[in-house]
Amino acid sequence: MTSESDDPTGAIRRCILLGERAPREALVRLALSPDGHVLPDVRAKAPGRGAWIGVTRAELETAITKGKLKAALARAFKTGPVLIPDDLPAMIATALERATLDRLGLEARTGNLVTGAEKIETAARSGKLHLLLHASDAGADGNRKLDQAWRIGNDEEGSSLRGLALPVSRTILAVALGRQNVVHIGLTERDAARRVSETLDRWLHFIGPHPALVPCETPSQGASALISNPAGSGAPVAADEDTCEEFE
């Protein structure tokens, strides 16, 4: 049942498939449409009851195939038949990607991120960079240069600290930020970096490991580098059989 009594702030939810609790920012909310279809509500804005999941896409697909998701949702929503779209995992992945890109766009409009290798390197070396991201098709040399600048600025030379390669290309990032040729992105405000990390971690946790894309061989020029804290999202680790209902 709901954990609202345990957590008056509503910040903690329980995955209906794993039975583990986690901050709602690390989970994905599922909502029920008027016609009984289960839909992703990654921004947690839809009215009515919601069910939360913290599994990966592969785990969700298995749960759908074995009927575990349908059973868990029936217990959570306590309504009539629950209709699960065949493409629900893909719908969730798309919604999480959109939420991440929208968050980056918002931080860009509020002046909390920088793009362009020179600007990012300057911020990194001066210790003002809190998150660094690279486009999937960014050049390896450009990534290494900015990663090293970030380590120097954080007095962590010789460490494994480095920017995170996103599973989207520079073209997609450019559209999201409304700028040209966004190869790297740097977050220069601590709270903004935290907000992006939360959204990004949830997306990456859901889609799971993806095949490494071959970096372009040309140097990154005039791009945006977003270097992200490599820490995990805190999303629940997969358990096998436990199921527990959680909803708003």
Side-chain angles (χ1 to χ4, degrees):
M1 297 294 290
T2 179
S3 64
E4 294 291 337
S5 59
D6 299 333
D7 177 40
T9 67
I12 302 297
R13 292 290 185 270
R14 183 180 295 145
C15 171
I16 62 171
L17 291 173
L18 304 181
E20 297 187 9
R21 297 172 183 267
R24 54 183 286 165
E25 293 81 8
L27 304 178
V28 174
R29 186 176 189 263
L30 301 178
L32 200 61
S33 70
D35 60 359
H37 283 81
V38 177
L39 300 173
D41 178 30
V42 300
R43 301 178 197 272
K45 298 293 186 181
R49 293 175 183 268
W52 300 79
I53 59 173
V55 294
T56 65
R57 177 170 181 168
E59 291 166 340
L60 177 60
E61 290 170 346
T62 298
I64 292 174
T65 300
K66 293 184 176 181
K68 291 184 178 181
L69 178 64
K70 188 172 184 178
L73 289 172
R75 292 193 297 269
F77 289 122
K78 301 185 184 302
T79 59
V82 174
L83 305 175
I84 302 176
D86 293 337
D87 60 345
L88 180 62
M91 293 170 64
I92 294 174
T94 298
L96 290 175
E97 176 180 337
R98 183 72 264 160
T100 302
L101 295 176
D102 286 349
R103 169 51 60 185
L104 287 173
L106 179 59
E107 301 300 348
R109 292 192 293 274
T110 53
N112 293 327
L113 64 77
V114 293
T115 60
E118 291 185 4
K119 291 182 179 179
I120 293 172
E121 183 175 3
T122 298
R125 289 182 177 276
S126 61
K128 297 179 180 179
L129 196 63
H130 298 286
L131 187 65
L132 173 63
L133 300 178
H134 307 300
S136 62
D137 55 350
D141 288 344
N143 290 358
R144 282 194 294 267
K145 182 178 181 180
L146 293 178
D147 291 349
Q148 178 63 12
W150 198 31
R151 288 192 289 269
I152 291 173
N154 281 276
D155 293 324
E156 294 189 33
E157 292 183 74
S159 74
S160 61
L161 181 65
R162 62 180 180 179
L164 177 66
L166 296 171
V168 291
S169 68
R170 66 180 71 190
T171 300
I172 293 175
L173 292 177
V175 172
L177 272 61
R179 304 181 184 184
Q180 294 184 342
N181 195 30
V182 176
V183 183
H184 310 281
I185 304 171
L187 274 295
T188 55
E189 202 275 327
R190 189 179 300 277
D191 287 340
R194 174 186 55 78
R195 290 190 293 267
V196 170
S197 291
E198 288 176 349
T199 306
L200 177 60
D201 287 349
R202 183 175 59 157
W203 175 32
L204 296 181
H205 171 74
F206 180 75
I207 64 177
H210 58 281
L213 299 177
V214 179
C216 63
E217 294 303 322
T218 57
S220 303
Q221 298 178 358
S224 72
L226 178 93
I227 213 162
S228 86
N229 190 327
S233 66
V237 177
D240 291 328
E241 299 298 330
D242 291 342
T243 60
C244 185
E245 299 80 30
E246 186 67 21
F247 49 81
E248 288 185 341

